[in-house]
Amino acid sequence: MSIFPQKKLLVFGETGQVARELARLAPEARFVARSALDLGDDPRAIGDLIAEARPMAVINAAAYTAVDRAEAEPDLARRINADAPGAMAAACARLAIPFVHISTDYVFDGSGNEARDEDAQAAPLGVYGSSKLAGEAAVADAGGQYAVLRTSWVFSVHGQNFVKTMLRLGAEREALRIVSDQIGGPTPARDIAAACLSMAGKMTADAAKGGVYHFSGAPELSWADFAAEIFARAGITCRIEPIPSADYPTPARRPLNSRLDCAKITRDFGVARPDWRTGLDEVLEELEARP
């Protein structure tokens, strides 16, 4: 966890899955909502806000994540996913404070069957991945201390995600056709939030720490197998019909191979790869307890 006062942490994002988990873990931090600062507007306002706040560290948990819609809104996706984090990183560099930025497995093309490490060649398939890759470059080019955290298949009790969608559809239907040739690691948002806080804290204590890191849940499996596990743990009898991605066309192509090699973050920060099954049980328990 963080080793500096929570009130000295600035977080961009408020309603997203990771931002809401950060609010649970660091409730005294300052969270910047879209209503207070639209990241699609003038990036100079971002630098002004960081300079005024004078934090000890900044975490960017805000992003344009509408993968399919991004194909029709490339300029907006780039402003939010590339220009905005670049402005954040530049402001942090001027203050000599660490900046933690969340990225995605979509920077890769999904070819092959092996887990990719941080040095693997990036080759995004669509606008969303391209905008996130441009954001990584902008953060690195700012010249300050930074950590880019690439993650995948995020789920939580918050917002819209695969787990909540499956719970809703599984309760309504007798069978669902789910893609079975996309393989990756589901990642609990709470674990991502905890990793970000741990990294930010350790970076404040050691200016040499930072770089690009991978962080996803284990073990890897397909979306169809993930859905089956959700149903089994939730006691839902909906039948899964596995299909190839070609049978479920979308405006943006998805990577077939989202396996990420997460050894580096454990080596550099002592952050262990999470078991998504534990996270899933926690999410299901919390959702079950809700009215």
Side-chain angles (χ1 to χ4, degrees):
M1 289 295 181
S2 172
I3 60 173
F4 54 86
Q6 289 185 5
K7 63 183 179 180
K8 299 300 291 182
L9 173 67
L10 181 66
V11 178
F12 284 90
E14 185 183 51
T15 59
Q17 295 187 77
V18 176
R20 294 181 71 172
E21 291 297 340
L22 282 166
R24 288 178 164 185
L25 297 175
E28 296 180 11
R30 177 178 175 182
F31 290 80
V32 182
R34 182 177 180 181
S35 59
L37 180 65
D38 190 334
L39 298 184
D41 290 340
D42 187 356
R44 289 175 295 184
I46 297 171
D48 292 342
L49 187 150
I50 294 175
E52 176 271 329
R54 305 292 296 185
M56 291 181 66
V58 174
I59 297 174
N60 180 30
Y64 183 111
T65 58
V67 176
D68 289 324
R69 193 167 70 238
E71 297 299 308
E73 297 180 335
D75 293 338
L76 179 59
R78 185 178 179 90
R79 288 198 301 273
I80 295 174
N81 289 344
D83 297 344
M88 295 174 198
C92 290
R94 289 191 291 270
L95 293 174
I97 60 173
F99 176 58
V100 178
H101 173 64
I102 300 171
S103 192
T104 174
D105 61 295
Y106 276 62
V107 300
F108 297 117
D109 64 6
S111 60
N113 296 308
E114 299 300 318
R116 282 178 163 81
D117 64 18
E118 291 79 359
D119 295 326
Q121 180 65 45
L125 298 174
V127 169
Y128 169 68
S130 296
S131 68
K132 294 295 287 184
L133 183 61
E136 292 185 10
V139 168
D141 290 345
Q145 184 187 14
Y146 73 91
V148 167
L149 190 67
R150 293 174 179 157
T151 191
S152 65
W153 298 21
V154 183
F155 70 92
S156 69
V157 298
H158 314 294
Q160 298 299 315
N161 59 71
F162 186 78
V163 170
K164 294 179 70 177
T165 298
M166 289 299 101
L167 291 173
R168 175 176 55 84
L169 294 179
E172 298 172 351
R173 304 181 187 180
E174 293 183 356
L176 286 173
R177 302 170 74 238
I178 307 294
V179 169
S180 61
D181 57 356
Q182 295 175 26
I183 309 298
T187 315
R190 183 171 300 179
D191 290 291
I192 300 172
C196 288
L197 288 172
S198 179
M199 296 171 78
K202 292 175 181 178
M203 289 167 70
T204 61
D206 185 352
K209 284 189 175 294
V212 178
Y213 294 89
H214 289 173
F215 185 71
S216 66
E220 289 107 349
L221 75 173
S222 71
W223 285 117
D225 287 339
F226 189 29
E229 190 69 20
I230 294 167
F231 291 164
R233 290 171 183 261
I236 293 174
T237 58
C238 179
R239 187 175 71 257
I240 301 294
E241 298 178 358
I243 62 171
S245 296
D247 287 358
Y248 189 76
T250 54
R253 294 170 59 197
R254 268 67 172 171
L256 297 182
N257 176 22
S258 288
R259 300 173 179 89
L260 298 176
D261 184 329
C262 303
K264 183 180 176 184
I265 192 171
T266 302
R267 183 184 72 238
D268 289 4
F269 286 98
V271 174
R273 190 175 187 186
D275 187 326
W276 58 261
R277 294 168 294 193
T278 300
L280 177 59
D281 286 341
E282 292 172 349
V283 166
L284 294 175
E285 181 179 354
E286 182 172 349
L287 289 174
E288 179 67 24
R290 289 184 174 183

